[in-house]
Amino acid sequence: MTRGKFITLEGIDGAGKSSHLDFLQALVRRRGHEARVMREPGGTPFGAMLRDVVLHHPTSALAEALVMFADRAAHVEAEIEPALASGAWVICDRFSDSTYAYQCGGRGLDRDVVEQLERLAHPGLQPDVTFLFDIDPATANERQQRRNVQADGFERRGLEYFVRVRNAYLERAREHASRIRLIDASGDLETVRARLERQFDQALA
């Protein structure tokens, strides 16, 4: 059995990454592979409870990271690794790059802590390719406002916080240029999807 590919989507809140999950799943299926869509935090019943805790109950950056990796460890063991081993391609909305961006970049947590947690939670597992949807935080905030839904604890942290998160993502993209593909997330849905499809073909043809 050929092991499946592990694809992750990243970006600040309001970048629109989640709106492309079904489109990306269809791309994978058109190329003849089984595709399973997952998300973090909250990819398992255990993780769903942790998602509520971390999104709605403010705590320290370290505690946030520990909760995220508890969710991630359960998700990898119960869902991600079995799917990959079966030959399915996994498309996951967020993975460990989010922790580097949100808890390290956004809140100042030491990156060494996250590196240690990665080794504990998913030793040897990294995405085959990551699509990073990049957008100006002010534009992302405008999109969030138009959605007219109640903001969670992360979304209420303000523009300066998301500037730091975005900068941390861009630093990750420079450090892992062979894995992380930058997608300009400005413009309408079809324009962004065309950019995503081009990057998909380049990375996974």
Side-chain angles (χ1 to χ4, degrees), residues 177-197:
S178 62
R179 171 174 66 85
I180 299 177
R181 301 293 181 116
L182 207 61
I183 309 290
D184 179 357
S186 63
D188 60 42
L189 188 67
E190 294 307 315
T191 299
V192 178
R193 284 184 174 175
R195 294 168 182 157
L196 173 59
E197 186 166 8

Side-chain angles (χ1 to χ4, degrees), residues 105-127:
R107 302 196 64 189
L109 183 66
D110 191 326
R111 286 167 49 121
D112 290 343
V113 172
V114 179
E115 290 173 0
Q116 293 177 52
L117 291 172
E118 277 192 295
R119 288 194 290 271
L120 286 170
H122 53 93
L125 175 66
Q126 289 292 336

Side-chain angles (χ1 to χ4, degrees), residues 47-59 63-64 67 154:
M49 292 186 289
L50 295 181
R51 179 183 178 87
D52 178 71
V53 169
V54 80
L55 292 184
H56 302 292
H57 301 276
T59 185
E64 272 182 7
V67 171
F154 283 77

Side-chain angles (χ1 to χ4, degrees), residues 17-18 23 47 49 60 78 95 101 131 135 144 153 155 165 170 176 184-185:
K17 62 178 173 48
S18 301
F23 174 76
M49 292 186 289
S60 69
F95 198 60
F131 297 112
I135 194 167
Q144 296 284 80
E155 294 165 346
V165 172
L170 294 175
H176 302 274
D184 179 357

Side-chain angles (χ1 to χ4, degrees), residues 9-179:
L9 278 64
E10 296 285 354
I12 65 172
D13 293 70
K17 62 178 173 48
S18 301
S19 63
H20 302 289
L21 286 166
D22 291 343
F23 174 76
L24 191 54
Q25 184 179 43
L27 279 181
V28 172
R29 287 175 172 170
R30 286 205 300 269
R31 284 153 178 78
H33 305 284
E34 180 185 356
R36 301 186 194 177
V37 171
M38 304 181 186
R39 74 166 185 176
E40 291 194 354
T44 64
F46 172 74
M49 292 186 289
L50 295 181
R51 179 183 178 87
D52 178 71
V53 169
V54 80
L55 292 184
H56 302 292
H57 301 276
T59 185
S60 69
L62 175 58
E64 272 182 7
L66 290 170
V67 171
M68 292 297 188
F69 273 100
D71 166 79
R72 191 161 293 136
H75 192 203
V76 167
E77 181 178 1
E79 300 290 342
I80 295 175
E81 277 290 1
L84 293 171
S86 76
W89 288 31
V90 171
I91 303 164
C92 193
D93 187 348
R94 297 200 184 283
F95 198 60
S96 290
D97 290 311
S98 285
T99 310
Y100 283 101
Y102 279 76
Q103 279 73 50
C104 297
R107 302 196 64 189
L109 183 66
D110 191 326
R111 286 167 49 121
D112 290 343
V113 172
V114 179
E115 290 173 0
Q116 293 177 52
L117 291 172
E118 277 192 295
R119 288 194 290 271
L120 286 170
H122 53 93
L125 175 66
Q126 289 292 336
D128 292 286
V129 64
T130 297
F131 297 112
L132 171 57
F133 292 82
D134 179 55
I135 194 167
D136 180 80
T139 304
N141 183 62
E142 291 172 5
R143 287 182 176 179
Q144 296 284 80
Q145 296 296 323
R146 289 197 297 269
R147 287 173 54 203
N148 197 30
V149 296
Q150 185 174 359
D152 62 38
F154 283 77
E155 294 165 346
R156 290 194 295 267
R157 287 181 176 171
L159 189 60
E160 290 184 4
Y161 170 78
F162 284 105
V163 169
R164 294 194 300 272
V165 172
R166 182 199 189 191
N167 288 340
Y169 266 133
L170 294 175
E171 182 179 357
R172 290 287 288 172
R174 289 189 292 270
E175 291 173 349
H176 302 274
S178 62
R179 171 174 66 85

